[in-house]
Amino acid sequence: MSDNSSHSTAPHRPLDGYRVLDFTQNVAGPLAGQVLADLGAEVIKVEAPSGEAARRITSTQPGLEHLAPYFLPFNRGKKSVAVDLRTDEGRQQVLALADTADVILEAFRPGVMDRLGLGAQAVQERNPRCVYASLSAFSGEGEEGRRPGIDMLVQAESGLLTGLRDAEGSPVVIRSTIVDAASGHVLAQAVLAALLGRERHGRADVVKVALYDVACSLQANSLSLQLNADGVPDAGTPTDGRSPFATAPSGVYRAGDGQFIVVAAYVPKHWQQLTELLERPELAEDPRFTDQAVRSRHNAELTEVLNEAFARRGAQAWVELFRKAGLMATRVHTWQETAHSAAFTEGRLAVTVTDGDRTEQVVRTPARYAGFPPAADRPTPRLGEHNDELLPQTAATA
């Protein structure tokens, strides 16, 4: 990265000397590999001769059609070998490469790697120290666990779209690949735990992560409520104007300039401050709003009252007033606003990587370490860029 020290003087990183074979595509699996690369691992993308799918998901914005935004942020600093796994030669080359690996990441449909002779049992019989990590859409050993799926499908089936509707009442898919992103971090966490277990106990584990499981985990509060609802349908989405949890006021409100703000002021101290700043101290004594549980049972009425109060000023004026008082509030930002915001800039979330005449700018992985900067300080690999470096020697040892 632009602020990294040189390779010769770089500090030690947790995964220096570890090798990862990354068979995954699109977001979740490659993100896990990106986390491992930033921790110092040599991550080798094993791609089909046509390249992984995300290379072809390009932007449709005028002037930006050359960008592959599903590929750039998750493959920085990796190596690429292009291999046809349908051939005996390709499988033997990859098996030989797996003999040198500490980790394998794969996200094929269950059973595909076994049919190719690259499943967990086959790999670990040859290389008992190799942690084998599989990513799938669903978990379980039956028919459900074998189904394919992507982020959008899992959003819908896991209940994540509950309550998200457009003006016509149609469900609204979350455009950011939130399930994929969360699953990638969970997969990286699982791999790191397995590597620690290997070092402490001498056994390389087989770990599995499913997008559906992660999506359900993201909604543990709502799903736990439903599990304990004793047959009440949709316990987490009441239709009588109440909030499902005692967290009111907490939500999106319209300011006087038509912009939207998010305010969280449900704890007693913050609610008291909010009523004073709104110059509506009588709200604190209103029997509908006396404590957070009561307010949440009258959330629709509270929202109406607050929208009327917020109409007196523009969004930014309210945000500045609330932040000065210590309340949690912000405007709803667009992606353009976020990319140029003070928080984004101060957090140095934009990463620029260069190699000769190649320059790429992406969003960094979120974890930060005092002892070292992220290791993946080179652009994304060209398809098959490292075939000559990696495959000839593996073919010779196959």
Side-chain angles (χ1 to χ4, degrees), residues 1-307:
M1 297 179 189
S2 57
D3 60 350
N4 276 7
S5 55
S6 69
H7 289 289
S8 60
T9 60
H12 294 297
R13 298 178 174 91
L15 296 185
D16 283 344
Y18 285 72
R19 171 172 280 184
V20 178
L21 297 193
D22 183 357
F23 292 85
T24 66
Q25 301 187 62
N26 293 322
V27 176
L31 173 55
Q34 185 67 79
V35 171
L36 302 179
D38 276 340
L39 292 174
E42 176 194 39
V43 179
I44 302 168
K45 290 184 66 66
V46 182
E47 305 184 60
S50 58
E52 79 125 290
R55 289 184 182 271
R56 296 182 290 280
I57 304 178
T58 53
S59 168
T60 61
Q61 298 297 312
L64 299 175
E65 293 90 347
H66 63 290
L67 291 177
Y70 281 72
F71 185 80
L72 288 176
F74 312 120
N75 294 285
R76 169 174 38 84
K78 297 182 183 179
K79 297 180 177 180
S80 169
V81 294
V83 183
D84 190 348
L85 294 176
R86 297 170 299 180
T87 67
D88 288 338
E89 179 185 11
R91 287 192 295 273
Q92 289 304 313
Q93 287 179 319
V94 170
L95 273 172
L97 202 55
D99 289 344
T100 69
D102 295 280
V103 178
I104 283 182
L105 300 176
E106 69 91 12
F108 290 105
R109 289 182 64 176
V112 169
M113 288 291 271
D114 288 322
R115 290 194 294 274
L116 291 171
L118 296 167
Q121 182 176 348
V123 167
Q124 290 186 334
E125 283 179 354
R126 297 170 58 111
N127 180 3
R129 287 182 55 78
C130 184
V131 169
Y132 199 97
S134 294
L135 181 74
S136 59
F138 298 91
S139 58
E141 302 301 323
E143 187 174 326
E144 290 294 307
R146 292 189 290 272
R147 286 197 290 136
I150 58 173
D151 184 290
M152 178 175 63
L153 184 146
V154 172
Q155 283 188 36
E157 190 161 341
S158 68
L160 198 58
L161 305 186
T162 299
L164 299 180
R165 304 276 172 171
D166 64 15
E168 284 72 43
S170 297
V172 177
V173 173
I174 301 170
R175 290 180 63 185
S176 299
T177 53
I178 186 171
V179 176
D180 275 345
S183 298
H185 287 292
V186 171
L187 184 61
Q189 170 189 304
V191 167
L192 292 171
L195 286 173
L196 178 61
R198 186 190 75 175
E199 300 309 311
R200 296 191 66 183
H201 308 299
R203 184 178 69 87
D205 211 337
V206 176
V207 299
K208 297 181 180 181
V209 172
L211 301 183
Y212 182 80
D213 296 7
V214 173
C216 290
S217 179
L218 291 173
Q219 306 166 83
N221 52 357
S222 296
L223 290 172
S224 294
L225 184 62
Q226 188 64 58
L227 289 172
N228 290 278
D230 195 22
V232 177
D234 295 326
T237 55
T239 58
D240 57 0
R242 72 179 63 200
S243 169
F245 310 109
T247 55
S250 177
V252 180
Y253 305 94
R254 185 189 293 271
D257 57 1
Q259 295 191 59
F260 293 94
I261 58 175
V262 169
V263 178
Y266 54 88
V267 299
K269 175 184 176 181
H270 291 166
W271 168 242
Q272 185 67 41
Q273 285 181 292
L274 181 63
T275 62
E276 293 169 0
L277 292 170
L278 292 175
E279 299 178 354
R280 296 289 304 275
E282 76 279 4
L283 293 178
E285 305 302 324
D286 190 310
R288 299 170 299 172
F289 310 139
T290 51
D291 64 47
Q292 64 191 75
V294 173
R295 289 194 296 276
S296 299
R297 288 196 290 270
H298 295 88
N299 189 53
E301 298 162 79
L302 178 60
T303 299
E304 183 178 355
V305 168
L306 291 180
N307 278 329

